[in-house]
Amino acid sequence: MSSTTVQSLRERSPSSYSLKIKNFSQLENLALGSADGKYLSRLFSAGGYNWRMILYPKGNDKDNGSDFISMYVELDSSSLSTPSTEVFADFRFFVLNKKENKYLTIHDVELKPFNTFRSVWGLPQVLPLSTFKDPENGYICLGQCEFGVDVIVAPPPTNWEILSFDEKLVYPYKIFWPVKNIFEILGHCHTSQRFSVGGKTWAIELYPKGSRTADYNKWVSIFLTAADCETLKEDEKIFTQAYLRILDPRGSNHLSRSITKCYNKSNSSWGYFRFVSIDELKNTYLDMEGALTLEIQFDVVSTTKHSLP
């Protein structure tokens, strides 16, 4: 018996299907006349699908079930809505013990996937034939016995999300923002015009003298803001890979910092409190007229998608 197989006794009879046999010897002879030595029950319904119980009265030799009662359950593939449908189910097999007036219950604790490629699962070693056939054990009396199965279909997921980290834009998307007279800007924060990338609206926030009191007049702060985050659902996310740059007006020594973050309703802005010091900005990144140019390059913009069946 597998390490994931559990045995117990219960009083309640099988709820999905029961096979009551009046003469077990005749069943054995009937099974011997079949190709694989098995008996197929009629179809029964469980969990919205059609099933069939399979009984090997002398064991399934091909599945290491020789000298055991072997039992399986088969999904009727024609009851699947599409050929690619997969059904996860828990199944429990039963053998009535008349002496105990209870059912021996055997089941595998792991859910099994049923589909068009594998429609049969079961247990090759439900009960040793020697144990079953001994009348003293209570499983058979005057040739009469009873087998059964419960099939419990796991419900399909009702909520899920698809999160992709490789939905790269066809081309890296770049936005340029020239800012003139940066240190003459009135107000604490200077915000770019809004722009659309990846189906979302964005803006750049520039703090010429720093966004924190401790950094005031020492550092320049720059952030990328998702301007329409308020329209997101509570647990929806926008995964973004982007680069914020201050362009070098005299060459190619641009100052670049990456942003790899998930934006959501409560975290709509990511960036750097200390993007560049004010001294370095004045010495390196302002042109002859005291202006600078910011660039934002988007590589990935991917939104989690919550789906209902």
Side-chain angles (χ1 to χ4, degrees):
M1 186 176 295
S2 168
S3 60
T4 61
T5 303
V6 176
Q7 280 192 1
S8 61
L9 288 172
R10 85 175 195 192
E11 294 182 355
R12 182 164 56 88
S13 61
S15 57
S16 293
Y17 190 78
S18 181
L19 174 64
K20 297 180 180 181
I21 300 169
K22 298 296 184 181
N23 191 319
F24 186 75
S25 295
Q26 287 185 355
L27 177 66
E28 286 182 299
N29 293 332
L30 179 64
L32 284 175
S34 68
D36 298 316
K38 62 187 178 183
Y39 174 79
L40 303 178
S41 77
R42 64 179 179 84
L43 291 174
F44 61 90
S45 178
Y49 301 92
N50 293 328
W51 307 84
R52 195 186 302 273
M53 188 176 74
I54 303 174
L55 174 66
Y56 289 80
K58 288 194 172 183
N60 182 6
D61 295 342
K62 296 179 180 179
D63 196 19
N64 196 31
S66 180
D67 296 323
F68 282 83
I69 296 289
S70 302
M71 299 180 70
Y72 300 82
V73 65
E74 178 182 23
L75 172 67
D76 178 17
S77 299
S78 66
S79 64
L80 296 175
S81 56
T82 66
S84 61
T85 300
E86 190 165 57
V87 179
F88 283 85
D90 172 36
F91 49 87
R92 299 163 187 256
F93 296 117
F94 300 88
V95 185
L96 176 61
N97 188 311
K98 294 184 179 182
K99 188 175 181 179
E100 298 286 343
N101 199 27
K102 292 181 180 180
Y103 288 87
L104 175 68
T105 306
I106 312 97
H107 77 282
D108 194 319
V109 296
E110 296 179 351
L111 290 175
K112 300 299 183 184
F114 292 81
N115 50 54
T116 53
F117 300 103
R118 180 161 184 179
S119 59
V120 177
W121 288 91
L123 300 175
Q125 299 182 2
V126 171
L127 191 63
L129 274 174
S130 58
T131 301
F132 173 77
K133 288 188 173 184
D134 186 347
E136 291 296 319
N137 294 323
Y139 295 106
I140 190 167
C141 179
L142 301 176
Q144 297 182 12
C145 54
E146 181 181 346
F147 300 92
V149 64
D150 277 355
V151 179
I152 302 97
V153 175
T158 55
N159 294 281
W160 63 87
E161 66 181 67
I162 302 171
L163 177 58
S164 172
F165 293 99
D166 57 0
E167 291 184 9
K168 291 188 177 181
L169 302 171
V170 177
Y171 300 101
Y173 199 97
K174 294 183 179 181
I175 297 290
F176 297 92
W177 182 30
V179 182
K180 297 180 179 179
N181 303 318
I182 179 173
F183 296 110
E184 297 177 14
I185 295 173
L186 297 178
H188 183 50
C189 175
H190 186 40
T191 305
S192 72
Q193 291 185 344
R194 294 186 174 190
F195 50 90
S196 179
V197 178
K200 299 298 177 183
T201 304
W202 307 88
I204 302 172
E205 293 182 348
L206 170 65
Y207 295 80
K209 296 183 180 181
S211 61
R212 298 186 299 193
T213 302
D215 300 328
Y216 186 74
N217 226 16
K218 298 177 183 177
W219 293 87
V220 175
S221 306
I222 305 176
F223 299 89
L224 173 65
T225 299
D228 53 2
C229 262
E230 65 274 5
T231 64
L232 293 178
K233 296 179 181 178
E234 198 62 39
D235 54 357
E236 191 174 5
K237 309 177 190 72
I238 308 171
F239 175 70
T240 305
Q241 285 183 337
Y243 293 90
L244 276 168
R245 296 189 181 98
I246 297 178
L247 299 186
D248 179 2
R250 301 172 185 83
S252 58
N253 187 28
H254 310 309
L255 180 59
S256 179
R257 302 197 187 280
S258 65
I259 295 177
T260 303
K261 294 293 183 180
C262 275
Y263 289 77
N264 54 43
K265 199 166 187 174
S266 58
N267 293 290
S268 60
S269 184
W270 292 98
Y272 293 86
F273 292 103
R274 296 182 174 185
F275 196 96
V276 63
S277 69
I278 289 178
D279 289 342
E280 185 180 0
L281 180 72
K282 289 179 177 179
N283 294 332
T284 307
Y285 296 106
L286 298 183
D287 63 16
M288 299 296 294
E289 298 178 355
L292 83 157
T293 301
L294 294 175
E295 176 191 275
I296 176 73
Q297 174 184 317
F298 289 87
D299 288 346
V300 177
V301 176
S302 176
T303 304
T304 60
K305 303 169 185 176
H306 297 255
S307 305
L308 292 175

